[in-house]
Amino acid sequence: MNRPQSPGGHGTVPLDGARLTLWAPAGLREVRPGDDLAVLVGDLLASDAERSGDALAEGDVVVVTSKIVSKAEGRVVRADDREQAITDETVRVVATRERPAGLPPLRIVENRLGLVMAAAGVDASNTPEGTVLLLPLDPDASARALRAALRERFGVDRLGVVVTDTAGRPWRDGLTDIAIGAAGVTVVDDLRGGADTHGRELSVTVAAVADEIAAASELVRGKASGRAVAVVRGVGRYVLAGDGPAGDGAGARSLVRGGPDDLFREGTAEAYARGLADGRAGAARQEN
């Protein structure tokens, strides 16, 4: 079996008789506010195709990091106090944990995009001193715009775009990339109602396809290689054709679990306060 090569190269992994191929082109310059990201990414892919012969093809997915999207969209802001920037981006505090003296508390929060992550996704790495990088205002819209430009430039109809960010996972060590924006990709594969290999009905299986693509792409991009763009080939069955809502798909925002489906909606303080209030209300009813 062929195994993935080192980050930044090409990797090939057989998948149930199919073949998954990933690569991360080198040569993207530092992205600056106001840059046309579609031109930069398009030039990168065209240059890579000249060297390697791997031109974009029908069913490919182009993966870009949220960092370069944010930089191009001018989401670099002055923030001598990163903690204030986190507060400004926070919609709801999910959990906090104190850290050793001199370090700010760890905050797990829901940000403006509905994502629950550490520090609201505010990034102070690879950005000028005294600034922080905020997530794109609308990563799905960013993905749609990039998809439209790349489809026109390369003449590829069935093309997907995924915008990624790095996140932790409850009860699991380590980080992985997830999709925070998507266009042209079926973001989930709902297998409920089907049958497994033994004929038993599947009742809860919904695969997070866009997140799986995002995580796979990080294996060839790497965290410190300077490669912010990857191409994933071999997942064409999940890639949509055409433009407009039907071609763009539901977007990554649809992956956010909220409302009654969020079993961990409340933080510790909220759950304690609600429990106390419920207890008092119950006691009052008994007295009456």
Side-chain angles (χ1 to χ4, degrees), residues 15-160:
L15 284 180
D16 298 329
R19 187 176 293 273
L20 180 64
T21 304
L22 310 93
W23 68 93
L28 182 69
R29 69 162 172 78
E30 179 69 18
V31 177
R32 295 183 290 268
D35 280 341
D36 188 328
L37 189 63
V39 171
L40 293 181
V41 172
D43 288 349
L44 176 72
L45 295 174
S47 176
D48 180 68
E50 290 180 1
R51 292 192 304 268
S52 67
D54 286 318
L56 279 186
E58 298 289 338
D60 284 352
V61 179
V62 177
V63 183
V64 298
T65 65
S66 62
K67 188 182 295 290
I68 63 171
V69 176
S70 292
K71 287 182 177 180
E73 295 179 355
R75 296 287 284 162
V76 182
V77 299
R78 298 296 308 179
D80 295 324
D81 183 0
R82 178 172 180 255
E83 294 305 301
Q84 184 58 49
I86 295 170
T87 299
D88 293 342
E89 291 298 302
T90 295
V91 172
R92 176 174 62 94
V93 177
V94 175
T96 61
R97 173 169 291 181
E98 294 299 324
R99 295 197 289 178
L103 293 175
L106 173 64
R107 286 188 280 174
I108 308 297
V109 306
E110 178 185 341
N111 64 21
R112 299 175 188 273
L113 299 175
L115 300 169
V116 175
M117 53 178 45
V122 175
D123 193 349
S125 64
N126 295 312
T127 185
E129 190 68 28
T131 67
V132 295
L133 197 60
L134 309 182
L135 291 176
L137 282 173
D138 187 343
D140 281 332
S142 303
R144 291 193 296 269
L146 182 57
R147 176 178 184 260
L150 294 178
R151 286 177 69 236
E152 180 177 1
R153 175 167 178 171
F154 293 100
V156 177
D157 185 25
R158 286 195 310 118
L159 182 70

Side-chain angles (χ1 to χ4, degrees), residues 168-188:
R169 300 153 299 157
W171 306 293
R172 300 284 291 181
D173 280 334
L175 305 171
T176 189
D177 271 31
I178 62 172
I180 67 167
V185 175
T186 302
V187 294
V188 297

Side-chain angles (χ1 to χ4, degrees), residues 161-219:
V161 170
V162 171
V163 178
T164 75
D165 195 47
T166 302
R169 300 153 299 157
W171 306 293
R172 300 284 291 181
D173 280 334
L175 305 171
T176 189
D177 271 31
I178 62 172
I180 67 167
V185 175
T186 302
V187 294
V188 297
D189 187 10
D190 191 344
L191 301 176
R192 291 173 297 183
D196 66 12
T197 56
H198 295 279
R200 291 187 292 266
E201 182 179 353
L202 298 171
S203 58
V204 297
T205 304
V206 181
V209 174
D211 281 346
E212 293 173 330
I213 292 172
S217 76
E218 201 278 325
L219 293 174

